[in-house]
């Protein structure tokens, strides 16, 4: 095959390259080599030189008949080639990786050809075997596919470099005694061969010199496909492809970025909807789809060992964490739902809402206008419905649930550490601090850092970034992050201005519109403003997220992190800090700022001296915080599932539509996978980020919305199946990678767990109405038989309407009132300390501060005590780790002893033979003398 796509009709090299099914057999080709082929990847074809010589020797009818025979043979082999084949044409060598490219007619085309030739030659020098599929055999007639195979010698070499653990003996540690309650969980379990696809072994790091020590039954299957593609990707990411502009260029990532290759991916082992016809195929993708990636399997456990075997430890640990998080959410959701039911059942017993809804109490209380000029006086009982709904979340159960969630977070994090320790043992990650591949220098770092210095540990020269360059890059990065955070704050202020500006419009419209009374009483101007502002805020959040994601990646690339671990940690902190401010800023505003700085009638405070600050509803701001939280949390989850599942499906559907005209037997496995979406190196990063943001919603503000864990639980049940479905059916197979934990996300979760105690204490104290009610109940009640009666009247202060300035007075008031009421604790106008705070205000403030201090200290003490009581590693896991280390060392010691004995025996045998030779020579000499 000609690399530039030129067609040399009737040549053997074209036909051999175009063949996709089976090699060209026969004695004529037994001694033909392809070492000089223009295509280093076409290991089954013939070289150009050899083909020319062969054709020149076959003249006349003999040559034509031979050519015709080859064409027919190759077409027959092509027809018999299974579309699910994951092997080279010989049917023996497994395809570990696929590279694809297209011809480029532009000026850059020749450069790309030269890069590919150099890159593929270097890959062959590294020991990899390549085989190229001509574009004429592809579905679109444009794409070349280079299939990569790692032979045994390459795998063993890099398995030692990457410190990969392999089995040395079957595990003889007995399993734990079966739990009598296991029969109850049997409906939720998967078959044993799905849950544990491989036997449990004792393992040790691979060494080429000790191959006889390991349980190598078959060299072709000894290394799993995930290990094979990880090794191949390690080589591809560091293979040079030439020198440009005086700099050495290397790495597959650069070749993908500059368009030399269009895609690079390992293959799925079969179609997801049916098993492969190849008996050598494990059909693990099909098993994962049937047992894991379908929604109707939502009640089943996850096959974590099979996920780890197929996708690698990094993806396996994510799904293990997500599954455990969902399991723990079940308990929080049950308690939260019970608290919600308590609020629903006691709604009619709430004295505050009864007084507000009473026409003789709430109907007689005239409230001051909620905006200047446009708003009129209003009666308190117009907020009857909202005050009743507020009781659903603002009751005694809220305090209990806030404390419960503070303890739940600790239990979740501590029990996850134990689950993680168990997985580390089962997945051979005990001695794994950080993967060798993660700790080694990034190819981009090596390429961009031209200066070198000696490493004090390895004593080898390695590239480094000067301190001045690092400082400049960090300053630019920090400034960019601060600019975008300032942009979020500016957008939040814009939403606040929207709330202030449209409230008067809503109030005037609802006052004049002929709206049915039930709807008008339910949809108050406060609620209408809150809902529309929440939706507007959600749209702004999504837009800013979309823009900032690209900026964060760009500035992280600009910093040139040294290792992959540093790169991910820096990007994680940037993205989390931005999204933390982006998603939670509006909730923090409603919870801790709205209504706190509104002033009082006649002396209101204004934003930018133009817009009057908002006031809370007479029933409190908690119901508005609940509305804000529900819209943003639910909207994010719905949009996230649409983005993760629907969009990839649409793109793949469009790709399948274009490929629908191709006969099924000509649509190969690598072409099927080529048409799928790319998961990308940051695919898991976005999954973790989504879940951690959700974790913040259910912990930081859970006191305002006990149903948040229930919403999160339902979303996560769907999320597990959506993530598994898209990974199994809509995305190319990701490159496997190791991970022993969830990384820096663990520290982020710990920080949010501590912050959640503080935020919930402040929400209960300052956002809800619980503390003022308790103070009134114990210190200011007027009726011993009904201590809470009169609370509403006590919480509203009196203002004399004649004290209004012209800027605050309603323009068109239907009635004239001498006084109006407002939510605050101030002296009445006839008091000597007119409009100053009453003693009740200071008592309530002191009670709020005392509550915060007590709640924080109690919850923190319980949290730290629980964390101290629960060990991070279960005792049985510690025992198993010690047992495995002991047996592994014993096996290695016995192996070394046996090897030493063998050498000693060989040396003794050699010494005795040497003595016999000397003795025989002596006898011969003696015989000659005699």
């Amino acid at each position: 095959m000609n690399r530039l796509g030129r067609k040399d009709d009737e040549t053997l090299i074209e036909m051999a390259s175009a063949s996709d099914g089976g090699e060209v057999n026969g004695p004529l080709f037994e001694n033909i080599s392809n070492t000089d082929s223009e295509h280093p990847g076409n290991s089954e074809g013939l070289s150009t030189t050899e083909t020319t010589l062969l054709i020149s020797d076959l003249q006349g009818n003999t040559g034509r008949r031979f050519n015709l025979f080859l064409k027919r043979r190759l077409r027959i082999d092509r027809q018999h080639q299974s579309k699910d084949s994951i092997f080279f044409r010989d049917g023996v060598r497994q395809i570990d990786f696929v590279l694809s490219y297209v011809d480029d007619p532009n000026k850059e085309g020749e450069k790309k050809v030269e890069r590919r030739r150099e890159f593929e030659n270097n890959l062959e020098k590294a020991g990899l075997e390549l085989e190229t599929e001509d574009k004429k055999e592809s579905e679109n007639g444009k794409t070349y596919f280079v299939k990569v195979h790692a032979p045994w010698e390459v795998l063993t070499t890099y398995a030692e470099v990457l410190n990969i653990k392999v089995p040395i003996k079957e595990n003889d540690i007995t399993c734990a005694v079966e739990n009598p309650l296991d029969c109850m969980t049997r409906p939720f379990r998967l078959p044993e061969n799905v849950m544990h696809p491989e036997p449990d072994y004792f393992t040790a790091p691979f060494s080429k010199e000790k191959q006889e020590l390991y349980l190598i039954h078959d060299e072709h299957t000894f290394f799993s496909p995930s290990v094979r593609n990880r090794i191949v990707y390690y080589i591809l990411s560091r293979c040079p492809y030439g020198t440009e502009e005086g700099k050495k260029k290397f790495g597959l990532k650069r070749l993908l970025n500059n368009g030399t290759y269009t895609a690079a991916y390992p293959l799925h082992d079969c179609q997801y909807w049916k098993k492969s016809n190849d008996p050598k195929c494990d059909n693990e993708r099909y098993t994962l789809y049937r047992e894991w990636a379908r929604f109707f399997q939502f009640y089943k456990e996850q096959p974590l060992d099979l996920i780890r075997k197929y996708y690698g430890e990094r993806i396996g640990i994510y799904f293990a964490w997500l599954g455990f998080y969902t399991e723990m959410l079940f308990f929080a959701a049950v308690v939260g739902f019970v608290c919600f039911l308590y609020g629903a059942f006691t709604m009619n017993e709430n004295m505050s809402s009864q007084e507000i809804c009473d026409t003789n109490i709430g109907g007689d209380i005239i409230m001051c206008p909620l905006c200047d000029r446009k708003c009129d006086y209003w009666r308190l009982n117009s907020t009857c419905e909202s005050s009743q709904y507020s009781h659903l979340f603002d009751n005694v159960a809220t305090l209990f649930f806030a404390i419960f969630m503070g303890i739940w977070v600790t239990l979740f994090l501590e029990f996850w550490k134990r689950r993680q320790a168990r997985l580390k043992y089962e997945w051979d990650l005990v001695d794994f601090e950080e993967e060798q591949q993660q700790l080694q220098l990034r190819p981009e770092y090596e390429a961009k850092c031209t200066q070198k210095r000696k490493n004090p540990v390895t004593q080898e020269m390695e590239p480094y970034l000067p301190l001045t360059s690092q400082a400049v890059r960090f300053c630019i990065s920090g400034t960019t992050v601060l600019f975008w955070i300032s942009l979020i704050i500016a957008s939040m202020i814009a939403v606040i201005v929207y709330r202030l500006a449209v409230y008067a419009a809503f109030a005037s419209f609802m006052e004049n519109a002929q709206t049915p009374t039930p709807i008008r009483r339910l949809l108050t101007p406060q609620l209408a403003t809150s809902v529309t502002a929440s939706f507007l805020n959600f749209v702004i959040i999504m837009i800013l997220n979309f823009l900032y994601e690209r900026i964060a990646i760009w500035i992280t690339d600009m910093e040139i992190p040294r290792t992959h671990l540093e790169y991910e940690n820096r990007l994680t902190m940037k993205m989390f800090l931005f999204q933390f401010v982006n998603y939670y800023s509006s909730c923090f505003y409603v919870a801790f700022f709205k209504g706190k700085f509104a002033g009082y009638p006649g002396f209101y405070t204004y934003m930018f001296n133009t817009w009057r600050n908002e006031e809370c509803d007479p029933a409190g701001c908690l119901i508005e915080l609940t509305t804000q939280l529900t819209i943003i949390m639910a909207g994010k989850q719905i949009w996230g599932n649409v983005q993760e599942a629907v969009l990839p499906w649409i793109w793949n559907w469009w790709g399948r539509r274009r490929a629908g005209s191709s006969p099924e037997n000509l649509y190969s496995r690598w072409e099927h996978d080529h048409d799928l979406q790319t998961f990308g190196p940051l695919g898991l990063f976005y999954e973790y980020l989504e879940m951690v943001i959700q974790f913040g919603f259910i912990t930081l503000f859970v006191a305002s919305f006990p149903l948040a864990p229930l919403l999160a639980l339902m979303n996560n049940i769907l999320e597990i199946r959506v993530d598994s479905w898209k990974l199994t059916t809509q995305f190319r197979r990701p490159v496997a990678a190791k991970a022993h934990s969830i990384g820096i996300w663990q520290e982020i979760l710990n920080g949010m767990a501590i912050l959640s105690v503080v935020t919930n204490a402040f929400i209960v104290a300052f956002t809800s109405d619980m503390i003022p009610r308790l103070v009134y109940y114990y210190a200011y009640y007027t009726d011993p038989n009904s201590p809470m009666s009169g609370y509403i009247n006590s919480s509203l202060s009196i203002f004399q309407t004649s004290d209004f300035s012209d800027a605050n007075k309603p323009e068109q008031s239907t009635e004239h009132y001498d006084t109006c009421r407002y939510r605050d604790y101030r002296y009445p106008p006839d008091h000597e300390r007119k409009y100053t705070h009453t003693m009740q205000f200071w008592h309530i403030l002191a009670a709020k501060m005392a509550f915060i201090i007590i709640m924080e200290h109690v919850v923190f003490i319980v949290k730290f005590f629980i964390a101290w009581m629960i060990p991070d590693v279960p005792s049985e896991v510690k025992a198993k780790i010690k047992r495995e280390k002991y047996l592994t060392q014993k096996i290695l010691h016995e192996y070394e002893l046996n090897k030493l004995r063998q050498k000693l025996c060989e040396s003794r045998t050699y010494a005795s033979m040497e003595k016999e030779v000397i003795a025989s020579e002596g006898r011969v000499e003696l015989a000659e003398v005699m």
Side-chain angles (χ1 to χ4, degrees):
M1 182 193 72
N2 191 295
R3 184 174 298 276
L4 292 176
R6 296 191 299 268
K7 298 182 179 179
D8 301 325
D9 294 334
E10 301 299 316
T11 60
L12 296 180
I13 185 64
E14 177 188 3
M15 290 182 290
S17 305
S19 171
D20 194 340
E23 61 183 310
V24 181
N25 298 317
L28 234 105
F29 298 98
E30 288 180 358
N31 298 320
I32 296 178
S33 169
N34 71 331
T35 53
D36 297 327
S37 174
E38 181 185 5
H39 281 284
N42 198 352
S43 57
E44 295 300 313
L46 303 173
S47 71
T48 308
T49 306
E50 291 165 338
T51 303
T52 306
L53 291 174
L54 183 60
I55 294 177
S56 64
D57 290 339
L58 299 172
Q59 299 293 333
N61 294 333
T62 305
R64 285 192 294 272
R65 285 196 300 270
F66 178 74
N67 236 348
L68 184 61
F69 163 77
L70 269 181
K71 280 186 176 182
R72 289 175 177 173
R73 179 61 186 270
L74 290 173
R75 285 172 182 168
I76 292 171
D77 289 344
R78 174 66 177 171
Q79 290 173 359
H80 287 287
Q81 176 84 10
S82 170
K83 75 170 187 177
D84 277 338
S85 174
I86 56 171
F87 295 92
F88 276 21
R89 298 188 193 103
D90 56 15
V92 177
R93 290 172 295 170
Q94 182 177 336
I95 301 172
D96 298 313
F97 227 86
V98 174
L99 309 175
S100 68
Y101 64 91
V102 295
D103 290 329
D104 189 350
N106 299 323
K107 295 181 179 179
E108 288 290 319
E110 294 182 2
K111 283 186 178 180
K112 293 178 180 179
V113 169
E114 184 59 34
R115 289 172 189 156
R116 283 194 292 268
R117 180 182 293 112
E118 185 70 21
F119 185 70
E120 292 172 15
N121 283 335
N122 288 331
L123 289 179
E124 285 198 319
K125 290 177 183 177
L128 296 178
E129 297 175 3
L130 310 180
E131 184 177 84
T132 304
E133 293 292 329
D134 189 79
K135 66 179 181 180
K136 296 188 296 299
E137 300 299 336
S138 66
E139 175 270 328
N140 60 9
K142 300 177 182 178
T143 308
Y144 297 89
F145 292 95
V146 181
K147 298 174 285 185
V148 184
H149 168 75
W152 176 256
E153 186 65 24
V154 173
L155 293 173
T156 54
T157 300
Y158 284 92
E160 187 171 1
V161 170
L162 296 176
N163 203 34
I164 292 174
K165 289 187 174 183
V166 294
I168 57 174
K169 181 185 177 183
E170 193 161 348
N171 194 338
D172 62 352
I173 300 177
T174 57
C175 298
V177 180
E178 188 175 354
N179 191 335
L181 299 178
D182 283 348
C183 60
M184 298 177 62
T185 61
R186 195 164 296 159
F188 307 102
R189 295 189 177 278
L190 292 172
E192 185 65 20
N193 64 324
V194 177
M195 287 301 299
H196 305 289
E198 293 178 326
D200 193 14
Y201 294 103
F202 293 131
T203 59
F206 186 84
S207 173
K208 290 183 68 175
E209 298 178 355
K210 303 174 182 177
Q211 292 190 34
E212 61 272 20
L213 174 64
Y214 309 112
L215 301 179
I216 305 176
H217 304 300
D218 184 355
E219 291 183 355
H220 298 291
T221 59
F222 180 68
F223 293 106
S224 66
S226 61
V227 173
R228 296 175 70 100
N229 73 57
R230 184 157 64 95
I231 290 174
V232 172
Y233 183 74
Y234 181 86
I235 300 171
L236 293 174
S237 63
R238 286 160 175 77
C239 182
Y241 61 85
T243 303
E244 298 178 5
E245 300 176 356
K247 294 182 180 180
K248 187 178 180 181
K249 303 290 184 178
F250 58 89
L252 179 62
K253 185 176 180 181
R254 280 178 171 271
L255 293 174
L256 291 170
N257 289 339
N258 60 34
T260 303
Y261 290 103
T262 56
Y265 51 92
L267 288 180
H268 285 293
D269 63 352
C270 66
Q271 300 285 8
Y272 68 86
W273 65 84
K274 67 176 182 178
K275 291 185 177 180
S276 173
N277 296 324
D278 192 337
K280 292 183 288 186
C281 180
D282 292 332
N283 296 297
E284 291 175 346
R285 184 190 188 193
Y286 171 79
T287 304
L288 285 171
Y289 174 72
R290 294 284 300 176
E291 305 291 347
W292 177 53
R294 297 191 300 170
F295 178 74
F296 293 107
Q297 298 289 107
F298 71 91
Y299 62 94
K300 296 280 190 178
E301 60 184 339
Q302 297 188 83
L304 295 178
D305 287 346
L306 185 58
I307 297 170
R308 173 240 182 175
K309 181 186 176 186
Y310 192 75
Y311 291 115
E313 288 82 0
R314 194 178 180 198
I315 290 179
I317 206 79
Y318 163 73
F319 280 103
W321 176 81
L322 180 57
F324 182 77
Y325 171 47
T326 305
E327 291 172 13
M328 292 294 292
L329 271 177
F330 173 78
F331 303 102
V334 169
V335 176
F337 187 66
V338 170
C339 293
F340 174 78
L341 290 179
Y342 171 83
F345 290 140
T346 59
M347 185 187 300
N348 295 328
E349 301 173 9
N350 181 30
M351 183 60 70
S352 299
S353 58
Q354 286 179 10
E355 290 186 346
I356 292 175
C357 296
D358 192 338
T359 55
N360 296 322
I361 302 177
D364 289 340
I365 296 178
I366 305 301
M367 302 296 294
C368 297
L370 292 173
C371 64
D372 294 338
R373 308 286 291 171
K374 299 293 184 182
C375 298
D376 199 357
Y377 301 102
W378 53 285
R379 297 184 182 276
L380 182 60
N381 65 347
S382 63
T383 61
C384 174
E385 282 78 6
S386 63
S387 68
Q388 289 178 332
Y389 294 139
S390 179
H391 179 73
L392 288 173
F393 310 106
D394 191 1
N395 51 65
V396 178
T398 302
L399 173 60
F400 164 77
F401 191 60
I403 297 174
F404 169 81
M405 287 301 293
I407 299 172
W408 175 88
V409 170
T410 305
L411 292 173
F412 163 64
L413 295 175
E414 293 303 316
F415 283 133
W416 165 245
K417 291 178 185 177
R418 292 170 64 84
R419 174 72 66 89
Q420 191 170 256
R422 201 179 298 276
L423 288 175
K424 286 173 67 175
Y425 167 73
E426 293 174 356
W427 291 356
D428 298 320
L429 301 169
V430 173
D431 298 325
F432 173 78
E433 291 301 327
E434 291 298 344
E435 187 182 4
Q436 296 282 334
Q437 183 178 347
Q438 294 276 349
L439 289 178
Q440 291 181 352
L441 301 179
R442 293 171 65 236
E444 295 84 357
Y445 182 85
E446 294 178 301
K448 293 180 181 179
C449 299
T450 56
Q451 301 185 36
K452 294 189 175 183
R453 65 180 177 186
K454 183 179 289 187
N455 188 311
V457 178
T458 62
Q459 293 298 306
E460 295 178 357
M461 298 298 292
E462 65 179 23
Y464 83 103
L465 194 64
L467 187 61
T468 53
S469 178
Q470 289 185 41
V472 172
R473 294 172 188 273
F474 278 128
C475 287
I476 296 174
S477 174
T479 304
T480 306
V481 173
L482 289 176
F483 167 77
W484 279 87
I485 291 177
S486 303
L487 194 62
I488 295 173
I489 297 174
S491 66
M492 185 188 70
I493 293 174
V495 173
I496 295 172
V497 169
Y498 165 84
R499 300 168 71 109
L500 301 178
V502 303
Y503 178 81
F506 275 123
S508 177
F509 172 77
M510 292 183 178
E511 185 69 26
N512 299 327
Q514 300 298 321
T515 310
T517 303
I519 297 178
R520 187 186 304 176
R521 299 183 69 178
L522 179 63
L523 189 64
T524 61
Q526 295 98 318
L527 184 60
T529 303
S530 177
V531 171
T532 56
S534 298
F535 276 110
L536 177 63
N537 189 59
F538 174 72
V539 172
I540 293 175
I541 285 173
M542 293 294 105
I543 294 173
L544 290 177
N545 274 349
F546 176 79
L547 298 175
Y548 183 75
E549 282 178 8
R550 286 142 185 81
I551 298 296
I553 294 172
W554 175 76
I555 58 179
T556 306
D557 288 337
M558 182 200 64
E559 292 175 5
I560 317 180
R562 187 172 181 271
T563 66
H564 291 280
L565 186 64
E566 286 184 16
Y567 182 90
E568 290 188 5
N569 288 348
R570 291 184 188 182
L571 181 61
T572 298
M573 291 308 300
K574 291 183 183 68
M575 286 295 296
F576 175 74
L577 181 62
F578 175 85
Q579 297 222 10
F580 183 92
V581 178
N582 198 17
Y583 278 108
Y584 303 143
S585 57
S586 59
C587 294
F588 272 102
Y589 164 74
V590 175
F592 306 123
F593 296 97
K594 183 183 176 183
K596 308 300 186 296
F597 309 100
Y600 60 95
F603 299 92
Y604 292 115
T605 56
Y606 292 82
M607 177 177 284
F608 307 128
N609 294 322
T610 304
W611 294 285
R612 177 175 142 187
N613 286 338
E614 291 182 283
E615 298 180 44
C616 285
D617 190 271
C621 274
L622 196 69
I623 188 65
E624 188 170 343
L625 177 59
T626 304
T627 305
Q628 182 88 6
L629 187 66
T630 305
I631 291 174
I632 295 178
M633 182 178 175
K636 181 184 182 303
Q637 292 176 351
I638 294 171
W639 173 248
N641 287 324
V642 169
Q643 203 172 20
E644 290 180 11
V646 178
L647 294 183
W649 180 84
I650 291 174
W651 287 115
N652 290 335
W653 170 80
W654 181 251
R656 285 194 301 270
R657 235 185 115 195
R658 290 183 300 169
S661 58
S662 297
E664 192 173 273
N665 63 334
L666 296 181
Y667 200 44
S668 60
R669 157 81 4 240
W670 44 88
E671 290 178 275
H672 270 288
D673 286 9
H674 181 266
D675 290 340
L676 297 178
Q677 300 299 302
T678 304
F679 189 65
L682 296 177
L684 275 188
F685 166 79
Y686 293 114
E687 301 296 340
Y688 275 118
L689 183 62
E690 178 186 2
M691 288 296 102
V692 170
I693 294 297
Q694 182 204 84
F695 181 82
F697 280 124
I698 69 164
T699 54
L700 297 177
F701 307 101
V702 73
S704 66
F705 190 37
L707 292 180
L710 181 61
L711 287 181
L713 174 65
M714 293 188 294
N715 173 79
N716 286 9
I717 291 174
L718 180 63
E719 180 77 19
I720 291 175
R721 303 304 158 180
V722 167
D723 286 349
S724 59
W725 175 80
K726 74 177 183 183
L727 200 61
T728 307
T729 66
Q730 304 301 310
F731 283 86
R732 297 171 187 161
R733 187 174 185 170
V735 178
K738 271 195 171 184
H740 73 296
S741 67
I742 61 176
I744 195 173
W745 299 108
Q746 182 82 34
E747 303 304 320
I748 292 176
L749 292 174
N750 288 331
M752 294 181 74
I754 294 174
L755 180 61
S756 67
V757 177
V758 179
T759 56
N760 283 302
F762 272 86
I763 287 173
V764 174
F766 286 98
T767 310
S768 78
D769 230 19
M770 183 176 300
I771 302 301
R773 287 199 297 263
L774 289 175
V775 171
Y776 180 84
Y777 182 89
Y778 288 105
Y780 288 91
Y781 67 90
T782 56
D783 185 357
N785 297 322
S786 180
M788 287 305 297
S789 61
Y791 167 73
I792 290 298
N793 185 63
S794 173
S795 64
L796 298 175
S797 299
I798 301 174
F799 181 78
Q800 191 168 347
T801 57
S802 59
D803 293 336
F804 268 129
S805 63
D806 292 336
N808 302 134
K809 191 178 297 184
E811 288 180 344
Q812 299 177 348
S813 179
T814 55
E815 297 184 34
H816 176 73
Y817 301 101
D818 294 330
T819 60
C820 63
R821 310 294 293 273
Y822 61 98
R823 183 182 171 85
D824 206 342
Y825 295 93
R826 294 180 181 272
Y827 287 109
D830 56 352
H831 196 275
E832 59 180 5
R833 302 181 62 185
K834 176 181 178 181
Y835 300 144
T836 59
H837 283 123
T838 63
M839 189 57 64
Q840 186 176 357
F841 169 84
W842 298 109
H843 287 165
I844 292 173
L845 181 61
K848 289 179 177 179
M849 301 306 296
F851 170 80
I852 292 172
I853 294 172
I854 293 172
M855 178 179 170
E856 286 182 358
H857 281 72
V858 168
V859 175
F860 278 135
I861 290 172
V862 174
K863 279 171 63 70
F864 293 136
F865 179 73
I866 292 174
W868 174 76
M869 283 285 292
I870 301 175
D872 293 346
V873 183
S875 57
E876 66 272 17
V877 173
K878 288 182 180 179
K880 288 179 179 179
I881 292 172
K882 291 178 181 178
R883 169 70 175 165
E884 180 169 349
K885 284 185 177 180
Y886 166 74
L887 290 176
T888 303
Q889 290 175 357
K890 183 180 178 182
I891 292 170
L892 292 173
H893 181 64
E894 290 176 353
Y895 169 79
E896 295 293 343
L897 284 178
N898 291 333
K899 201 170 182 181
L900 182 60
R901 289 194 192 101
Q902 187 178 357
K903 287 183 179 179
L904 289 175
C905 290
E906 291 175 355
S907 63
R908 286 172 183 172
T909 304
Y910 176 77
S912 63
M913 290 177 62
E914 187 177 8
K915 288 179 181 179
E916 289 179 5
V917 170
I918 294 172
S920 62
E921 288 177 351
R923 285 193 297 271
V924 170
E925 290 177 358
L926 181 60
E928 289 177 352
V929 171
M930 293 177 66

